[in-house]
Amino acid sequence: MPEKSLEDFIRQHRSAFEEEGPPPGLWTQLEKELHPPKKNKVIQMLGRHWLKAAAILVLVVNSVMIIQFLQMKKAQSLKNISPELQEASMYYTTQIEQRLEAIRVYPASVLGLDSAARKELELRNDTYQLLEAELIQNPGNERIKAAMVRYYQLKLDLLDKILDELRTKQPVRQKQSEYEREI
Amino acid sequence: MQALANNLNNTTITDHLVSRCKKGDVHAFRELYNAYSAAMYNICLRMTGNTADAEDTLQEAFMQVFRNIERLENAGSVTAWIKRIVVNHCLSHLRKKKVYFEEVDNIDVGDEDGAVDEDSFAWTVAAIRDAIHVLPHGYRTVLNLYIFEEYSHKEIAAMLDISESTVKTQYMRAKDKVRQIVKQKNAIR
C-alpha cells in the first residue's frame, strides 16, 4: 500500500529498520578495557608517562654529570691554578697531618680541648675551605695565595706548640718517640 | 494503573542499575550494556554506514558511558544521556573521516513535513535503507538524526555547528535524494 510520506512510513515501520545488536564479542573487549591485565605498577606508570620519565632521567643524568664535572674541576683546580702553591700545599699538608696524628694519640682528658676546638685544629677547617674557594674564584690573586701559605704556617706553629705542652704534661710515650724520630 | 505501576517499577530498576554502575559494579555495567547496546549499535550503524566502524564507535562510546556515569545526575534521563554520547562519538568519527558539515545557500524548502512526498509510490524498508546508505555523509547524518534519532533541527544545528536553516535545507535535499533513488529502483523493477 502506498504511503503518504517518508517520515510517516519510517515512523510506522520503525522497528523494521532496526537490525540485530552488536556481535557478542564486543562486550568481552569492553570488559577487558574495564579490567586491563594488571601490569607492574611501575611499568604501567612508565607506559603512561614515558615522556616525563625520559625527561626526568635526562635531568638526573645531566645533574650527576655536572656535579661530577664540578668536583673534578675543583680537585684539579688548585694544581692548575698554581703549581708552586700545590707543591707548598703538599709539604705543609704532610707536616700538619703528622702533628695531628701525634696529637690524636693523647686522650681527650690530657688534651683538654673541646670538640669545637679539636675540629678547628683539623687541616681542612672552615678557614681553609674559605681560602680554597676564594683562590678558585680568583686564581691569579697573590694575596690569597700568600694567605693560604700563612694559614699553613700558623697551623703548623700552633700544632707544634700544642705538642710541646703535651710532652711537658704527659711523659713521652712510644708513639711520641716515633714522632720525634720522624722529625 | 497497570501502566503506571510498570513505569514506576521500570524507573526504580533503572535508578538501581545506574546507582550500581556508579559504584563501579561490573555486573551492572554488563546489564546496562545488554539493555542499550542493540539500540545504540543501530545508531552507530546508521551514522557510520558500516559494521566495523559501528562496532568501534559503540565500544568507545560505552567506555565513556562507564567512565562518566557517576556524573549522571538524573538516572531517569539515562537513555537520552547514553544516546547523546553515542551520537557524539559517531559525529567525531565522521569528522575524523573528514566529513564536514558546512553551511549551504538557503533554498525554499517549504514546510518540512509538507507535500514533498505527495507522489505516492511503494516505499519499502529495504529500499529506504539502501537509499539512505548511498546518501552523501552530510545528508545521511542530518536525515538520520532527524527521522531516526528524533532530534529537532535546532538540536542538530547545535551538534553539527551549522545554522538551523542549513539543517533544514540539507534535510529536504536528503529526503528528495532518497525519493529519487527509491523511485529509480521502483522504475527498474
Side-chain angles (χ1 to χ4, degrees):
Chain A
M1 190 183 135
E3 302 292 335
K4 193 185 172 190
S5 73
L6 178 64
E7 288 94 336
D8 286 344
F9 181 86
I10 290 174
R11 276 171 203 142
Q12 282 167 18
H13 300 85
R14 185 67 179 78
S15 57
F17 282 92
E18 293 297 294
E19 294 188 22
E20 280 187 13
L26 208 65
W27 168 254
T28 316
Q29 288 175 33
L30 268 170
E31 205 174 18
K32 274 183 197 164
E33 274 196 62
L34 283 170
H35 298 288
K38 282 187 179 172
K39 288 183 198 169
N40 183 313
K41 271 193 173 180
V42 176
I43 294 172
Q44 263 184 321
M45 279 181 68
L46 278 177
R48 217 175 295 152
H49 305 290
W50 67 270
L51 191 62
K52 286 180 195 168
I56 291 169
L57 187 68
V58 168
L59 281 174
V60 168
V61 169
N62 277 354
S63 307
V64 168
M65 284 178 72
I66 289 168
I67 290 167
Q68 280 184 342
F69 174 74
L70 288 175
Q71 282 178 342
M72 199 172 76
K73 200 178 165 193
K74 194 176 169 185
Q76 288 180 344
S77 56
L78 198 60
K79 195 175 176 180
N80 296 336
I81 289 165
S82 175
E84 71 280 7
L85 186 63
Q86 173 70 12
E87 208 175 305
S89 177
M90 274 178 68
Y91 166 76
Y92 284 114
T93 304
T94 315
Q95 295 297 316
I96 291 166
E97 286 299 338
Q98 280 176 358
R99 269 46 163 203
L100 285 169
E101 275 297 305
I103 290 170
R104 281 187 203 115
V105 170
Y106 290 91
S109 55
V110 177
L111 195 58
L113 294 171
D114 60 15
S115 60
R118 279 203 300 276
K119 198 178 167 193
E120 192 54 34
L121 279 185
E122 293 298 321
L123 173 64
R124 298 179 71 86
N125 64 8
D126 292 346
T127 315
Y128 177 91
Q129 285 176 20
L130 189 72
L131 282 169
E132 192 181 48
E134 281 289 319
L135 191 62
I136 289 165
Q137 280 174 12
N138 307 285
N141 194 319
E142 291 301 323
R143 286 181 64 197
I144 301 171
K145 285 182 195 173
M148 197 120 189
V149 172
R150 185 75 188 130
Y151 163 82
Y152 284 131
Q153 289 169 343
L154 285 171
K155 174 140 292 202
L156 201 55
D157 286 347
L158 178 67
L159 291 173
D160 278 338
K161 278 178 190 164
I162 293 170
L163 270 174
D164 282 344
E165 275 189 40
L166 285 170
R167 269 205 300 269
T168 319
K169 271 204 239 170
Q170 183 103 345
V172 179
R173 287 181 182 179
Q174 182 63 26
K175 287 211 173 190
Q176 283 173 295
S177 306
E178 279 170 13
Y179 156 70
E180 280 169 355
R181 272 204 303 278
E182 276 174 23
I183 58 169
Chain B
M1 195 65 186
Q2 185 60 43
L4 181 66
N6 285 341
N7 199 19
L8 281 173
N9 199 23
N10 284 342
T11 309
T12 314
I13 291 169
T14 308
D15 282 354
H16 184 58
L17 181 61
V18 169
S19 153
R20 282 168 57 216
C21 286
K22 284 184 178 183
K23 287 173 188 162
D25 180 346
V26 180
H27 297 293
F29 285 152
R30 180 158 201 170
E31 284 173 43
L32 193 74
Y33 175 81
N34 288 342
Y36 289 98
S37 61
M40 299 304 142
Y41 178 69
N42 271 278
I43 295 177
C44 295
L45 208 52
R46 280 192 290 269
M47 300 276 287
T48 63
N50 68 80
T51 53
D53 287 346
E55 286 168 24
D56 287 349
T57 313
L58 185 76
Q59 194 174 339
E60 286 168 16
F62 263 99
M63 277 314 294
Q64 195 184 337
V65 166
F66 296 152
R67 284 179 181 142
N68 292 288
I69 196 150
E70 59 190 32
R71 292 186 196 167
L72 177 67
E73 287 173 9
N74 178 15
S77 64
V78 68
T79 309
W81 183 71
I82 294 176
K83 186 171 151 184
R84 191 57 194 264
I85 289 175
V86 170
V87 167
N88 284 345
H89 271 271
C90 291
L91 292 176
S92 3
H93 171 83
L94 291 175
R95 285 191 182 104
K96 275 183 208 157
K97 288 205 155 186
K98 311 284 179 202
V99 175
Y100 299 108
F101 307 100
E102 291 167 347
E103 296 287 342
V104 293
D105 294 334
N106 288 345
I107 54 167
D108 186 10
V109 293
D111 181 4
E112 65 197 47
D113 291 313
V116 179
D117 300 305
E118 262 180 355
D119 290 345
S120 294
F121 57 90
W123 292 115
T124 62
V125 171
I128 293 171
R129 194 187 281 156
D130 291 347
I132 293 173
H133 188 73
V134 295
L135 283 179
H137 281 295
Y139 285 0
R140 193 171 70 202
T141 305
V142 172
L143 190 131
N144 276 329
L145 290 174
Y146 186 76
I147 298 190
F148 288 96
E149 314 321 332
E150 296 176 343
Y151 288 110
S152 68
H153 287 317
K154 196 177 176 182
E155 286 171 315
I156 297 168
M159 283 179 200
L160 304 183
D161 197 24
I162 52 178
S163 69
E164 201 176 330
S165 61
T166 295
V167 172
K168 284 181 182 172
T169 306
Q170 295 249 23
Y171 175 65
M172 295 310 291
R173 287 177 180 177
K175 229 166 51 159
D176 278 349
K177 201 89 182 150
V178 170
R179 246 179 95 251
Q180 281 172 24
I181 296 166
V182 174
K183 212 171 182 179
Q184 278 171 4
K185 265 199 169 175
N186 285 346
I188 292 165
R189 281 176 195 163

